């Protein structure tokens, strides 16, 4: 079974930066949309950023716009999330996700619903201290 593998999480002080990486562990049909979601303790999983692999259009949650940047490497089916100016409220487990048929625009318009993504990683923890 295909899984996505995240790396790059860790602990950082407010204002710092981290870069998360996501690569598939097995053969995966080329993803149409790749994205990052996060889940803080006691809260629901929420969308952070999406990238449409065919034209590199990107979509962001308002809470991270201007601070986070999603990018991709199509040759590796990989996705990255550069997180700058981190805040304590960014503390969460970050999950990589991929969708093989639906577009990012459709997923974004539906409100970043986790159930719209086909493949998931196990998550990587990001802790931001004040």
């Amino acid at each position: 079974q295909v899984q996505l593998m995240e790396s790059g999480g860790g602990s950082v002080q407010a204002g710092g930066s981290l870069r998360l990486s996501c690569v598939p562990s097995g053969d995966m049909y080329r993803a149409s949309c790749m994205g990052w979601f996060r889940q803080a303790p006691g809260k629901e999983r929420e969308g952070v950023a999406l990238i449409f692999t065919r034209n590199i259009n990107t979509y962001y949650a308002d809470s991270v716009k201007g601070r986070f940047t999603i990018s991709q490497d199509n040759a590796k089916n990989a996705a990255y999330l550069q997180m700058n100016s981190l805040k304590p409220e960014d503390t969460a487990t970050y999950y990589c996700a991929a969708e093989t048929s639906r577009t990012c625009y459709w997923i974004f318009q539906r409100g970043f619903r986790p159930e719209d993504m086909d493949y998931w990683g196990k998550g990587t923890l990001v802790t931001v201290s004040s």
Side-chain angles (χ1 to χ4, degrees):
Q1 184 173 350
V2 174
Q3 271 206 333
L4 301 171
M5 298 173 57
E6 304 98 338
S7 61
S11 297
V12 65
Q13 288 193 328
S17 299
L18 284 173
R19 185 174 186 255
L20 305 182
S21 298
C22 169
V23 293
S25 62
D27 290 333
M28 183 176 74
Y29 183 76
R30 180 170 169 174
S32 169
C33 178
M34 296 193 73
W36 291 91
F37 291 69
R38 67 185 181 186
Q39 188 167 16
K43 294 189 176 181
E44 292 187 352
R45 193 169 298 189
E46 62 176 5
V48 174
L50 299 170
I51 186 165
F52 187 39
T53 61
R54 295 169 194 173
N55 63 11
I56 321 182
N57 279 352
T58 56
Y59 305 84
Y60 295 94
D62 288 342
S63 58
V64 305
K65 203 173 293 184
R67 300 187 298 121
F68 291 10
T69 303
I70 188 171
S71 60
Q72 64 171 11
D73 182 337
N74 267 344
K76 300 178 182 178
N77 251 338
Y80 308 94
L81 187 67
Q82 178 67 42
M83 304 185 295
N84 298 329
S85 302
L86 282 161
K87 305 175 181 179
E89 51 264 44
D90 294 319
T91 295
T93 298
Y94 284 71
Y95 297 89
C96 178
E99 163 59 31
T100 55
S101 58
R102 302 182 184 103
T103 67
C104 288
Y105 177 77
W106 185 85
I107 296 167
F108 180 73
Q109 289 296 303
R110 279 169 52 86
F112 265 123
R113 298 182 189 183
E115 59 264 34
D116 289 338
M117 307 299 285
D118 284 338
Y119 298 100
W120 288 90
K122 293 184 177 180
T124 184
L125 180 62
V126 171
T127 303
V128 185
S129 58
S130 57

